[in-house]
Amino acid sequence: MSGAPVLLQHPSSLDHDTGPHPEQPARMVAIERELAARGYLGFARVSSPAVERSVLEAVHPPSHVELIERVAARGGARIDADTVVSGGSFVAALHACGGAVSLVDRLLSGSAPTGFSVHRPPGHHAETARAMGFCLFNSIAVAARHALDAHGLQRVLIVDWDVHHGNGTNDIFHGEPRVLFCSIHQSPLYPGTGPASDVGSGAGRGFTVNLPVAPGAGDPEFRSLIDHVVVPLARAYRPQLLLISAGFDAHAEDPLADCGVSDAGYGEMARSLRGAAAELGVPVGAVLEGGYALDALARSVAGTMKELGGVASSDGAVGVADVSGRALQRLGEFWPGLA
Ligand SMILES: [Zn+2]
């Protein structure tokens, strides 16, 4: 493996217009400002392509893809109480999936040792034929399915540390032993799924690992589950690829849940998973899910990238003004909507 870590983004993430909503374009702006100020932690910035239709439809039936396309073409509508499709949402969701798929391609070709796909809408609640919970298409599931279908992998580990249960990913791979899905989530909380007793089905029985935590859980609980359950599971499963459904809404500052993970806690979880991947000699990539406290989200994304192999910026000691100037210039080129 060689090359720099990659950061996959696309300006269409700003065009998914949810109106007054916690899952808002400002999330992207907050992350971008934080990363720009930190020189993108040495990650190479890559524009995410739109996902190929055949790759998307390996998870989602054409009827579901066409529904989202049609609603967006009509100017948008509310799909359910939480989930909005706007005129720009279909294209944004295609690039969100394309970013995750491109991340997998880059990790498995060896062109990047690690990476982060930072898009909205998020994906882990989306079921095969149902958009829900702010999610339209399940980006990480599409990427994992692509790793099986196009790269012939036999073992993919998905670790979902978003505070909500990744019910979509859970269901998509429920009967699939080639994907070990492992989720840490607050319970009770939306969407109400993911008891520890749900362990998968059929050939996939035992390859779904749900780790619910009580409201109030913080760094000790999340870190303990990562270090004492997830990492030993990874050693036993020997994945060929490790993907993180990286939501940051278990943060203490997040308005949508009741957990207490800190900035440092996310960094420590990322460090543990990065260490496990290094020990197993496999690449690791993260795909953004939730996270609604804007500053905490931005700091936690940056902290996760640092532990996934980023280069720490120098905390102000060397050339920060220069780095920031160049970064902001690139920001303006990349996000034309931002001054
Ligand atoms: Zn969430």
Side-chain angles (χ1 to χ4, degrees):
M1 291 183 278
S2 60
V6 285
L7 173 65
L8 289 124
Q9 301 171 287
H10 194 271
S12 61
S13 284
L14 297 173
D15 300 331
H16 172 50
D17 180 4
T18 45
H21 195 289
E23 203 293 283
Q24 55 185 309
R27 298 176 65 229
M28 294 292 108
V29 177
I31 292 169
E32 186 64 20
R33 290 201 170 129
E34 178 77 21
L35 296 184
R38 299 176 65 159
Y40 297 92
L41 295 113
F43 279 53
R45 304 178 72 206
V46 175
S47 178
S48 300
V51 69
E52 288 178 32
R53 200 76 166 226
S54 62
V55 174
L56 180 61
E57 291 180 356
V59 166
H60 298 290
S63 59
H64 176 66
V65 176
E66 287 158 13
L67 170 70
I68 304 302
E69 184 174 29
R70 203 163 55 241
V71 172
R74 285 204 310 256
R78 195 169 280 272
I79 294 275
D80 67 19
D82 305 314
T83 310
V84 175
V85 171
S86 74
S89 299
F90 179 63
V91 171
L94 293 181
H95 285 277
C97 288
V101 168
S102 179
L103 171 61
V104 162
D105 284 337
R106 288 163 189 275
L107 295 177
L108 294 177
S109 72
S111 68
T114 181
F116 208 136
S117 182
V118 175
H119 289 263
R120 51 184 296 278
H124 73 152
H125 293 305
E127 299 175 350
T128 53
R130 182 184 181 200
M132 62 178 278
F134 315 166
C135 303
L136 305 180
F137 304 139
N138 195 317
S139 303
I140 202 163
V142 169
R145 173 65 66 191
H146 176 71
L148 306 182
D149 294 347
H151 295 276
L153 294 201
Q154 294 299 308
R155 294 179 308 281
V156 177
L157 172 59
I158 299 176
V159 178
D160 184 332
W161 75 38
D162 187 282
V163 79
H164 302 96
H165 179 236
N167 60 290
T169 318
N170 186 101
D171 286 7
I172 288 164
F173 298 117
H174 210 247
E176 176 55 82
R178 292 178 298 170
V179 176
L180 175 57
F181 175 67
C182 190
S183 174
I184 306 173
H185 48 273
Q186 180 185 321
S187 178
L189 188 67
Y190 180 92
T193 49
S197 58
D198 180 0
V199 296
S201 56
R205 188 169 170 81
F207 296 91
T208 295
V209 177
N210 281 301
L211 303 168
V213 297
D219 291 347
E221 291 83 2
F222 277 76
R223 285 193 59 198
S224 179
L225 289 172
I226 291 284
D227 289 344
H228 302 304
V229 179
V230 177
V231 168
L233 272 173
R235 289 192 184 112
Y237 187 62
R238 293 182 298 108
Q240 296 156 296
L241 172 67
L242 199 167
L243 296 175
I244 304 171
S245 247
F248 296 91
D249 40 11
H251 196 284
E253 295 173 20
D254 198 275
L256 295 196
D258 312 296
C259 286
V261 176
S262 68
D263 296 13
Y266 282 111
E268 284 155 3
M269 289 197 289
R271 189 184 317 157
S272 288
L273 293 178
R274 170 77 168 153
E279 178 188 321
L280 295 164
V282 299
V284 54
V287 177
L288 181 67
E289 301 287 359
Y292 307 101
L294 297 180
D295 291 345
L297 168 67
R299 295 191 312 265
S300 300
V301 167
T304 297
M305 286 171 57
K306 176 168 173 260
E307 295 300 337
L308 285 182
V311 178
S313 68
S314 47
D315 293 331
V318 180
V320 162
D322 182 46
V323 168
S324 298
R326 285 204 312 274
L328 289 171
Q329 189 180 357
R330 290 200 301 271
L331 173 70
E333 291 163 8
F334 197 78
W335 300 99
L338 297 178

